[in-house]
Amino acid sequence: MTELWNWRIERRSAQAEVHTALAEAIGRPVLPLAGAAAGLTAAGAVLCDVWHAPGDFPTVVDCYAPPENVDEHAAVAALARRLGVNCLLRDDTLDAGRHLLVGPDGTIRPVHFDVADTDDGEVLTNQRLCTHADPGCRGWSRCQRSRWTPDSVLSARTAA
């Protein structure tokens, strides 16, 4: 089965910049999808598509067939550190507005966004922490059933 990593970066980042940082983070070659279509693949290479969407966290990164021996949380934390920015990845609640915010210092915490689907892609706005102070995050909410409970802050090393 082919796994897919899907992340977002808090600033517009060029494809080459993301590929270089990701290759350093996971210790594997990273190639654009166009390179794979042209038959330019390397053994063990990760195929990575980078594009821009409107709203907060405008750079979207999709990695196809990432290495099985690399933890996704550790990889996105290493990417965030190398780029010096916050990154997002989906959490385990299946709530479209809930994500994990990964800081350049390696911390991971749950956050919420308002989500709107547009012709230009999914737009994330109005970032806020997932916290017990928010009534929507308490009680029987999806947030409580997550590995990443409200107000949790973990390091990427702990999450791996």
Side-chain angles (χ1 to χ4, degrees):
M1 181 172 100
T2 300
E3 187 175 347
L4 170 70
W5 288 344
N6 176 261
W7 308 326
R8 293 183 81 133
I9 300 171
E10 76 175 333
R11 66 169 161 77
R12 288 183 71 85
S13 300
Q15 177 176 290
E17 175 186 28
V18 173
H19 286 184
T20 300
L22 182 58
E24 292 171 0
I26 64 173
R28 296 276 178 95
V30 175
L31 300 173
L33 287 178
L40 304 173
T41 58
V46 172
L47 300 177
C48 182
D49 195 14
V50 178
W51 75 95
H52 298 105
D56 299 344
F57 289 81
T59 301
V60 182
V61 179
D62 283 339
C63 298
Y64 300 90
E68 292 179 10
N69 63 337
V70 176
D71 177 76
E72 181 178 13
H73 296 97
V76 73
L79 178 69
R81 184 174 51 255
R82 281 172 172 75
L83 295 175
V85 297
N86 289 315
C87 294
L88 288 180
L89 70 150
R90 298 274 185 188
D91 75 344
D92 58 354
T93 64
L94 303 178
D95 179 339
R98 192 167 190 263
H99 291 76
L100 298 175
L101 179 69
V102 182
D105 63 353
T107 58
I108 302 174
R109 64 188 43 148
V111 294
H112 290 277
F113 287 89
D114 294 336
V115 179
D117 287 320
T118 70
D119 291 341
D120 295 324
E122 185 178 75
V123 177
L124 303 178
T125 57
N126 190 26
Q127 177 184 325
R128 57 207 177 275
L129 292 176
C130 179
T131 177
H132 290 290
D134 183 336
C137 299
R138 293 189 294 227
W140 291 99
S141 74
R142 290 181 181 177
C143 303
Q144 293 296 326
R145 295 187 301 262
S146 171
R147 172 182 174 196
W148 308 90
T149 58
D151 295 312
S152 63
V153 179
L154 295 173
S155 71
R157 178 168 286 165
T158 304

